[in-house]
Amino acid sequence: MTVRDDVMAVEAIMVRARQAQATYAASGSQGLYDRAALAAGWAIVEPDRNRTLAELAVATTGLGNVPDKISKNHRKTLGLLRDIRNVATHGVVRDDPETGITEITRPVGVVGAVVPSTNPAATPANNVINALKCGNAIVLSPSPRGVETCQRLLGFIHAEFDRIALDPDLVQMLPPPGSKAKTQRMLELSDMVVATGSQDNVRRAYSCGRPAIGVGIGNASVIIDETADLAAAARKIAQSKTFDNATSCSSENAVIVVDAVREAFLEALGREGGAQVRETPALMARLFPEGRINPAIVARSSERMLAELGLSGSLPPSTRFLAVETQGIGPEHPLSREKLSLVLSVYRAPDFAAAADTAHTILRHQGAGHSIGLHSADDARAIELGRRMPVCRVIVNQAHCLATGGAFDNGMPFSLSMGCGTWGGNTIDDNLHWRHFVQTTRVVRPIPAREPDLDEIFSEYWSVTGGDG
């Protein structure tokens, strides 16, 4: 097919999506939107389908591992469905006699979603559920390695749609093979764009001429101070670092340990499978050939990683990830970047203030806007980080990648896409969730005038400046 043929195929898909969405909204009700969201949720949560999607994702992308993908598909979807269960997304949602304003929730239309290979089932399912809950149609553009998983997911969703008489054109994907031309045309024809994955995808979304929501790059640093429960911190960091072979952008990339507990913490980390290794030229050459992370270790098992790095047999058999001690930060120090692998950089600091300085420097280099972690018994330090650091999330005493995108034991919305605010070049600063998939019409009526006099507004100011001029 020619590029023109590809573009025409995308245009036909978008026409069908727009027609399906118009019918869906015209016959819409809260019950219909809720059933549609539950149908898409059951398409991935049903155990046999979940396993099929997890196994296919690992087999076709080579990223992550099956048990953790099953857990991710289940928990992220179940948590999202819990979050939206009693949320009103159709019709009048607020009527305020005091202001005279009635708010009516409306769909955004056709959503175009670019989704990554790291989560080729969970991320599109999350986007689909949010879109349907809010009365929209959605068209997915999967990464090349995620095409087969996305196709299978849509087959499961359409099977559920058959059971409740929903139009399958509400949820579509671009025809394979993927191409920039196809994705670009989808972006241009969407009413709203959501982009998760590479920063190239995000930049293209923001420049497509349509309203766009993108997310920033991760590079999470976690501070361990002298008040931390070291055993618990090591256990949570190990759990998070190894989950799905570190596919998550929220996985810890660096820990910064104050000197007073450094040795004790490293011992605790070792008991959790974190093997300490030195930053040698030989190791760095294998980790970062030509200055970039070795693709053969990205989101791979510890066995595969150790073999690629020439470390098989030289480390304890209990090794689950590497803890590489370093101090360098910046372009010439690749250990200070996001790694998406079972490699954890370990920095030392004389005290909490210095640890915070190091974290700030890492964020300025890469990861601004995303998140920072803290293991501490001093909550004031968490507030201090929240006031000072250029991040949208401070994760306290939790397994970072399991907490950042929402968890059953914290209050964050369940999501696989984290907005990073202006620090990360994004339009949102929270987790992508249902509110981003609706818009509001306001009916505005006259009310008794509430015009203040000048004294009411300026009296405090005048008391400081000595009068009204």
Side-chain angles (χ1 to χ4, degrees), residues 54 110 291 418 462 468-469:
V110 178
M418 275 90 252
W462 288 337
D468 60 1

Side-chain angles (χ1 to χ4, degrees), residues 26 38 50 69 76 139 143 197 204 233 237 247 269 281 285 291 300 302 307 311 335 340 402 440 442 454 458:
L38 287 169
N50 186 353
K69 287 208 180 292
K76 287 291 187 181
V139 179
S143 70
R204 288 170 58 204
I237 289 168
T247 55
L269 201 64
R300 306 288 183 167
S302 57
L311 296 174
L335 283 169
L340 295 183
L402 304 180
T440 303
R442 293 166 179 84
L454 291 177
F458 287 102

Side-chain angles (χ1 to χ4, degrees), residues 89 129 168 200 215 270 316 339 372:
T89 56
I129 291 167
D200 181 57
V215 298
K339 295 174 280 294
I372 189 172

Side-chain angles (χ1 to χ4, degrees), residues 24-39:
Y24 185 49
S27 59
S29 68
Q30 194 62 65
L32 176 63
Y33 292 176
D34 289 349
R35 282 193 300 276
L38 287 169

Side-chain angles (χ1 to χ4, degrees), residues 204-218:
R204 288 170 58 204
Y206 280 142
S207 63
C208 73
R210 307 302 300 163
I213 297 173
V215 298
I217 191 170

Side-chain angles (χ1 to χ4, degrees), residues 25-89:
S27 59
S29 68
Q30 194 62 65
L32 176 63
Y33 292 176
D34 289 349
R35 282 193 300 276
L38 287 169
W42 186 239
I44 185 172
V45 167
E46 193 279 321
D48 289 340
R49 290 169 171 170
N50 186 353
R51 176 168 288 278
T52 295
L53 291 168
E55 291 175 344
L56 183 60
V58 173
T60 55
T61 69
L63 306 175
N65 64 75
V66 171
D68 287 346
K69 287 208 180 292
I70 290 173
S71 175
K72 185 184 296 184
N73 292 345
H74 178 89
R75 293 177 66 83
K76 287 291 187 181
T77 307
L78 185 65
L80 170 60
L81 293 172
R82 182 209 65 179
D83 287 348
I84 66 175
R85 184 176 184 182
N86 296 313
V87 171
T89 56

Side-chain angles (χ1 to χ4, degrees), residues 121-271:
T123 297
N126 190 282
N127 289 336
V128 168
I129 291 167
N130 278 317
L132 293 171
K133 171 73 177 183
C134 298
N136 306 297
I138 186 167
V139 179
L140 303 168
S141 175
S143 70
R145 287 192 287 180
V147 166
E148 291 184 53
T149 304
C150 194
Q151 284 179 316
R152 189 68 61 90
L153 172 65
L154 262 60
F156 293 154
I157 291 173
H158 292 160
E160 292 300 315
F161 278 10
D162 287 343
R163 299 175 66 184
I164 57 174
L166 273 184
D167 188 343
D169 284 344
L170 284 170
V171 181
Q172 300 180 73
M173 63 176 282
L174 298 185
S179 73
K180 291 184 178 180
K182 290 179 184 177
T183 299
Q184 185 64 31
R185 191 58 179 146
M186 180 199 77
L187 298 177
E188 293 167 352
L189 294 174
S190 299
D191 294 307
M192 185 184 80
V193 172
V194 175
T196 305
S198 74
Q199 291 305 288
D200 181 57
N201 286 342
V202 173
R203 283 189 291 269
R204 288 170 58 204
Y206 280 142
S207 63
C208 73
R210 307 302 300 163
I213 297 173
V215 298
I217 191 170
N219 191 25
S221 297
V222 176
I223 295 172
I224 296 91
D225 77 7
E226 72 280 4
T227 73
D229 181 332
L230 301 183
R235 182 178 69 254
K236 292 171 184 176
I237 289 168
Q239 178 189 18
S240 173
K241 186 62 184 173
T242 60
F243 185 78
D244 203 22
N245 296 350
T247 55
S248 173
C249 62
S250 297
S251 176
E252 291 88 342
N253 277 283
V255 293
I256 307 162
V257 191
V258 301
D259 284 342
V261 294
R262 176 175 170 275
E263 292 300 328
F265 174 74
L266 291 177
E267 289 175 5
L269 201 64
R271 290 192 292 271

